[in-house]
Amino acid sequence: MPASRSSCASSVAGSRVSTRTIWSQARRCSGVSQRGVFEAGVTPPIYLTLEPIAPSLRTESSNLNYLEAVMRVAIIGAGNVGAGLAEAATTAGHEVTVVAAHQENAVEVAGNVGAKAAATAAEAAQGADVVVLAVPAGAAAGVLREVKGAGAVVVDATNPLNDTFSDLTTGGTSHAEQLAAGAPGVKLVKAFNTVFASRLGAPSEDGRPLDGFYAGDDDAAKQVAADLLASLGFRPVDAGSLRMARSLEELAFLNISLNARNGWTWQSGWRLAGPTA
Ligand SMILES: NC(=O)c1ccc[n+]([C@@H]2O[C@H](COP(=O)([O-])OP(=O)(O)OC[C@H]3O[C@@H](n4cnc5c(N)ncnc54)[C@H](OP(=O)(O)O)[C@@H]3O)[C@@H](O)[C@H]2O)c1
């Protein structure tokens, strides 16, 4: 039986411990790790066949000073990204609500990590500081229509891959820009799309955080995305205006293509080297 969400969160927030310790605690609290991606009878595309990174590969991260900044995070989608983000965000001490197309999937993920499950995207977004779109790109515009009334910052984590994962579908623009154009007034930030789901709970390599790129046109909204990235242990990197979402979507596509082409393990992440500060 999982421990209560509040008891797990308070015991994490009350101590300065390593990421690995927090992961152990999260597993003890939740009882189960990231939702399996190999559902019975389903052969997912290779991009989706992501395994959580081995605990032995996880390294220290610099996120612990963010534990006091609790955010209300609504995650739309309970698949690889939704489940991984829900686990990482609850581990960081955030209040997380998850929703899926099929409510039982949201209930399962939420139960595993100590989050709440909502019945609809609109319900999940109500009262949230940030709503993360972790759904297939084709579903994102509809979800955005459901959540935009809540007024939260919307983080678009989607990648607009075609059916064969051989190209993006956007041709000269970005999915984030298309979403923003269809939802005037929504504070939309592109973020998390360059991070493989396997890395959401393992945001560092060789003791240094991976880069979490984000782009958008609203500075306050971008700060929310940056804070969320940092709280999970990533180094937030401001890529510029929403125009730069085109680059971030291509960056994600590059990592996907490299893994597919080279038979890598879908655990590579981005980090700029050299003087970047
Ligand atoms: N996988 C990665 O490593 C990764 C990394 C970065 C970005 N991305 C991008 O993130 C997005 C999600 O990827 P994923 O791998 O997590 O996909 P996934 O495993 O297929 O999960 C998609 C989730 O979206 C839910 N969903 C679909 N339509 C919905 C709707 N209308 N309302 C609410 N929930 C809905 C599904 O619900 P059910 O569970 O009920 O079917 C499922 O939980 C994609 O755009 C992908 O390109 C993926």
Side-chain angles (χ1 to χ4, degrees), residues 15-37:
S15 55
R16 293 188 66 79
V17 292
S18 72
T19 301
R20 193 164 297 159
T21 303
I22 289 175
W23 267 87
S24 302
Q25 177 161 5
R27 292 186 191 296
R28 179 170 55 75
C29 289
S30 65
V32 184
S33 182
Q34 197 167 333
R35 178 178 157 219
V37 294

Side-chain angles (χ1 to χ4, degrees), residues 35 47-48 50 76-82 99-103 105-106 121 133-137 139 143 146 157-161 192-198:
R35 178 178 157 219
Y47 174 44
L48 302 181
L50 303 175
I76 317 302
N80 298 298
V81 174
V99 70
H102 306 90
Q103 198 186 1
N105 293 336
L133 305 182
V135 297
V143 167
E146 288 186 61
T158 67
N159 284 312
L161 293 155
F192 287 101
N193 71 302
T194 61
V195 178
F196 280 156
S198 60

Side-chain angles (χ1 to χ4, degrees), residues 18 40 54 56 77 81 95 105 116 119-120 131 134 156 161 190 202 204 210 242-244 266 272:
S18 72
S56 60
V81 174
E95 295 176 10
N105 293 336
K116 292 179 191 162
T120 66
V131 176
D156 169 29
L161 293 155
K190 190 85 197 182
S204 59
L210 298 177
L242 201 60
R243 155 67 182 82
M244 295 308 294
W266 303 91
L272 290 169

